[in-house]
Amino acid sequence: MTTCPRRRSLHFLRPLPLILTLSATVAAMTVTAAVPPKAQAETVAAPELTWRSCAQPGGPAGQECAELPVPLDYRDPKGPQLAVAVSRIRSDRPAARRGTLLMIPGGPGSSGVQWLRQKGDALRKEMAGRYDIVSFDPRGVGASTTASCGLDADDRHLVHLRSWPGPDGGIEENVARSRRIAAACARHGGAVLRSFSTANEVRDIDRFRQALGEEKLSAWGASYGTYVGAVYAQKYPHRTDRWVLDSSGDPDPTRVARGWLANMAAGADDRFPDFAAWAADPARDDEGLRLARRPEDVRPLLLALAAELDRAPKQTTTAGVPLTGNHLRQALQNALYDDGSFAPLARLVQAARNPAEKPVLPAAFAQPLRDQDAAVTVAVICNDVRWPASVPAYRRAVAADRVRHPLTAGLPANITPCAFWKDAPTERPTRITAKGPSDILMIQNRRDPSTPYFGALKMRRALGDRARLVTVDHGGHGVYLRNGNACGDRTVTAFLSTGQRPERDVNCGR
């Protein structure tokens, strides 16, 4: 789910973001379905926000933070409250200001407060004072109310939390770990964990809008944030102004995150040729990072190396954490998100091939995730929709996927804790439709490993005339103010700052 802060998490911005307390009384409560938006507006008074400076060195000047109280359960709006951390950068040109622009983070599990800190100055420059720019940490993330599953450290290592099959394609260890994680979340997470869902994030956004005193919001949602943004636009169409969806996935309401995960197999295949061309370029000779003489030789080299590391993991500079075949596969998947990650991946491959060298593991693999970070993304993807529970069906799917997509080795089809989740979803996922104002601009890389282009086209079809799509001939995940494509950046900036949107879908070259 990055266009968002680079947290380690189980889907969507990061390679499947598995990406934090209230009293025991609150944690023991049961969350039920929420009231419809109209009833919310009648029963939940808009809270006041107490802003304080939270500017940091290297971040935007004048950044402020506050806490937004939100109901644990929107059917009981005056009951127990959670805290959602919110942040803003006020317009530096009040005379030019036209409203508020919300940055919707990806993940699930990414921090919008950190994303605002990272991208705030660049976005403020593009907008030329037209907006106050705001964002938030969704419930479960960062400085917002968090929950814990009480997971063992071993289950929180990225390559274990993600369901990579065994070297022979077996999923027995994945099944056992998924059962363990689901049981631990049911034991320890309580009502707070059960409240982590896309539907509640959308309600929290509208509560934020009310607290800001805005009739409408403009937005830039990235990765998983595009799904949140699309659901908001479906539920509150009269509250949207100028809406940008950057790197969208298939919104199929019967699958949701399960579909996003499955699509990553073909997404990796679409994106890999970019890395292969880079890794075979003679320019890599001077850096010692050229992996093969021809691009077509890079893929078999990596597959063979992963198989060798399956048989004999290699010691690394991190004591007790060897480089395995699945570590290499995960490193490849991470690297496909951004051209800037190609060199570190090639360096890892060269070190793995050198008998005299100990590889340096990427930081994401050296330590387990925090328990709160692991909990939130598992919870969101499992709370949103019911996943199939048949272990034999997953076993068959993994075997077939490994044949079709060796680069991802069956991961996208594999079992997750959602197969054993103890609580059924409290409501059905939202179906995205063309009903509503025509005020959405989508932007998408053609070779995206996480939200592949064919999935974005399904979002485009679902939105119909509500949207226009800008296609960028580029690889990686995340487009606006990220990959340097002037055509894409110019089109989004023009839409947000002036309201000018292409009359029809457009293509931007490299």
Side-chain angles (χ1 to χ4, degrees), residues 8 37 39 118 165 177 194 202 208-210 232 241 265 269 290-291 308 329 334 363 374 391 453 458 468 490:
R8 294 173 293 161
Q118 294 166 1
R177 180 171 288 111
R194 290 194 295 273
V202 164
F208 189 20
R209 176 194 62 77
Q210 294 172 50
Y232 185 93
D241 186 7
D269 290 342
R290 191 178 185 188
L291 301 183
E308 181 181 333
R329 295 180 185 100
N334 288 8
V391 173
Y453 190 65
K458 293 182 179 180
R468 301 291 183 270
R490 182 172 59 247

Side-chain angles (χ1 to χ4, degrees), residues 264-297:
M264 292 173 74
D269 290 342
D270 291 343
R271 169 65 163 152
F272 186 80
D274 292 338
F275 173 70
W278 181 94
D281 190 328
R284 306 283 88 79
D285 280 332
D286 292 342
E287 307 162 299
L289 298 179
R290 191 178 185 188
L291 301 183
R293 295 298 168 187
R294 303 180 305 166
E296 57 265 36
D297 294 332

Side-chain angles (χ1 to χ4, degrees), residues 8-11 15-19 149 151-164 174 177-178 181 185 330 368-371 373-378 381 411 415-417:
R8 294 173 293 161
S9 53
L10 235 207
H11 190 264
L16 191 65
L18 277 187
I19 265 225
C149 286
L151 302 181
D152 293 339
D154 189 58
D155 286 342
R156 290 185 275 112
H157 274 282
L158 185 58
V159 293
H160 294 163
L161 195 58
R162 307 228 32 223
S163 291
W164 288 100
N174 306 132
R177 180 171 288 111
S178 292
I181 290 172
C185 289
Q330 183 65 63
L369 279 71
R370 293 196 315 151
D371 189 53
D373 294 342
V376 61
T377 308
V378 175
I381 67 174
L411 165 77
I415 200 163
T416 72

Side-chain angles (χ1 to χ4, degrees), residues 434-510:
K435 185 178 180 180
S438 185
D439 59 1
I440 298 172
L441 181 68
M442 297 175 59
I443 186 164
Q444 193 80 20
N445 283 328
R446 193 173 288 279
R447 298 178 304 284
D448 186 320
S450 180
T451 54
Y453 190 65
F454 62 85
L457 291 179
K458 293 182 179 180
M459 176 72 87
R460 174 67 183 87
R461 286 194 291 271
L463 289 167
D465 195 53
R466 296 190 69 185
R468 301 291 183 270
L469 172 63
V470 179
T471 298
V472 177
D473 186 11
H474 200 279
H477 187 52
V479 190
Y480 184 53
L481 303 184
R482 180 170 175 79
N483 63 16
N485 184 274
C487 169
D489 287 352
R490 182 172 59 247
T491 305
V492 173
T493 294
F495 173 58
L496 288 174
S497 59
T498 71
Q500 178 185 351
R501 192 184 69 164
E503 293 185 4
R504 57 185 62 85
D505 294 352
V506 299
N507 288 287
C508 289
R510 290 176 178 272

Side-chain angles (χ1 to χ4, degrees), residues 223-429:
S223 194
Y224 166 69
T226 64
Y227 177 66
V228 175
V231 173
Y232 185 93
Q234 188 72 35
K235 293 288 190 181
Y236 303 92
H238 57 298
R239 300 301 187 189
T240 61
D241 186 7
R242 298 169 184 173
W243 220 245
V244 173
L245 305 182
D246 181 343
S247 306
S248 300
D250 180 355
D252 181 354
T254 66
R255 290 161 60 83
V256 194
R258 182 164 62 94
W260 305 334
L261 176 59
N263 288 346
M264 292 173 74
D269 290 342
D270 291 343
R271 169 65 163 152
F272 186 80
D274 292 338
F275 173 70
W278 181 94
D281 190 328
R284 306 283 88 79
D285 280 332
D286 292 342
E287 307 162 299
L289 298 179
R290 191 178 185 188
L291 301 183
R293 295 298 168 187
R294 303 180 305 166
E296 57 265 36
D297 294 332
V298 176
R299 176 180 164 114
L301 180 154
L302 279 174
L303 292 176
L305 180 59
E308 181 181 333
L309 292 168
D310 283 337
R311 294 187 296 270
K314 186 169 184 179
Q315 286 189 340
T316 69
T317 57
T318 303
V321 186
L323 178 64
T324 66
N326 283 340
H327 277 116
L328 183 63
R329 295 180 185 100
Q330 183 65 63
L332 168 62
Q333 193 176 55
N334 288 8
L336 295 179
Y337 277 59
D338 185 350
D339 289 5
S341 298
F342 287 177
L345 174 62
R347 198 168 292 115
L348 179 67
V349 169
Q350 296 290 51
R353 298 169 71 193
N354 184 348
E357 187 173 353
K358 280 188 177 182
V360 178
L361 282 177
F365 304 151
Q367 298 291 332
L369 279 71
R370 293 196 315 151
D371 189 53
Q372 298 93 329
D373 294 342
V376 61
T377 308
V378 175
V380 172
I381 67 174
C382 298
N383 287 336
D384 269 5
V385 69
R386 175 67 81 184
W387 290 51
S390 169
V391 173
Y394 283 107
R395 189 175 288 115
R396 291 190 297 271
V398 165
D401 211 54
R402 284 169 67 85
V403 173
R404 289 193 296 264
H405 307 287
L407 289 173
T408 47
L411 165 77
N414 205 358
I415 200 163
T416 72
C418 302
F420 307 109
W421 207 243
K422 305 302 181 183
D423 298 291
T426 58
E427 53 198 303
R428 293 180 179 178

